[in-house]
Amino acid sequence: NGRSAPDARTATHLERLRAEGATVEYARADVADDAAMRAIVAGIERDHGGLHGVLHCAGVTRDRLITGSSSHDARTVLAPKTAGVVTLDEMTAHLPLEFFLLFSSLAGAVGNVGQAVYAAGNAFMDHYAAHRASLVARGERHGRTLSADWQLWQDGGMTVNAQVSCAAADGPGLAVLDRATGLVLLDACAATGESHVLPLAGDAARPAPARRWTRV
């Protein structure tokens, strides 16, 4: 599901998946809306016999220095990363999930100029993943819990324009991930057994100045 109405790009992706034999449905809802998410989970259970995994990929950016950020902007950015994660977890707490996967951001681990609120939201996701993993260990939740702190992706909901791609290519060594590389990294992250992983891909000969990177 997503907050936005499905556009032509979304329709193309859905049709491609259906052509490959998948059954795909798109529901428009806010991930932080308890009632909406409860209805969606109940509908999946009713119509498809169960729910096996959750991928949280929701995010909103309102990039600006924190001194110029309004409380409305902060709530808009934080909601899907905080209330949305908690809502998804609570609405699926009764289900024998195989995985609960959070797509976090590198900004949550190291920060980024103009993204203080966004970084805080992603840091919350990372800590919540560790919390949920402890609940799994106590038998109060089910499924592998993982929060992965991603660098920029070329594809996806938060698309990257040509200018940003060029800047990244000339920058401190981090690549803009294509889908194939991202999926390989995702498999590697899942194989670690950790609840929080920071995968990095790029040119190790050009590390970012004054930063310490942990490569997986």
Side-chain angles (χ1 to χ4, degrees):
N1 72 280
R3 291 188 311 127
S4 303
D7 56 16
R9 184 167 173 267
T10 302
T12 298
H13 286 310
L14 296 178
E15 287 306 315
R16 183 181 298 122
L17 289 170
R18 290 175 181 131
E20 294 175 358
T23 299
V24 186
E25 297 178 13
Y26 182 92
R28 186 179 182 182
D30 187 336
V31 70
D33 184 330
D34 285 16
M37 296 313 300
R38 183 180 293 107
I40 286 175
V41 171
I44 292 172
E45 291 185 89
R46 181 187 64 248
D47 299 337
H48 301 286
L51 179 63
H52 302 286
V54 171
L55 287 85
H56 179 289
C57 305
V60 178
T61 56
R62 294 286 188 273
D63 294 355
R64 55 176 56 88
L65 294 179
I66 195 168
T67 53
S69 181
S70 68
S71 58
H72 177 266
D73 286 337
R75 287 193 296 270
T76 299
V77 173
L78 288 173
K81 299 287 187 179
T82 56
V85 171
V86 175
T87 297
L88 267 180
D89 182 39
E90 291 180 345
M91 295 304 109
T92 58
H94 63 291
L95 297 173
L97 297 179
E98 297 175 15
F99 60 87
F100 191 90
L101 177 58
L102 308 177
F103 275 48
S104 186
S105 168
L106 178 62
V110 301
N112 194 31
V113 175
Q115 290 192 322
V117 177
Y118 182 71
N122 284 285
F124 175 89
M125 294 175 71
D126 299 337
H127 287 284
Y128 196 85
H131 166 67
R132 189 181 187 280
S134 70
L135 296 180
V136 172
R138 298 203 300 263
E140 298 176 27
R141 296 289 193 277
H142 300 276
R144 173 84 166 84
T145 309
L146 172 65
S147 181
D149 290 359
W150 295 108
Q151 62 203 75
L152 290 174
W153 281 60
Q154 184 64 51
D155 305 306
M158 294 183 180
T159 55
V160 179
N161 60 35
Q163 183 178 2
V164 172
S165 295
C166 289
D170 294 334
L174 291 180
V176 176
L177 292 179
D178 60 85
R179 184 182 291 111
T181 303
L183 292 176
V184 169
L185 283 174
L186 179 57
D187 283 342
C189 290
T192 65
E194 300 291 337
S195 62
H196 173 212
V197 180
L198 194 164
L200 295 176
D203 185 353
R206 294 191 292 126
R211 293 258 175 102
R212 293 183 181 273
W213 302 108
T214 300
R215 290 179 170 81
V216 175

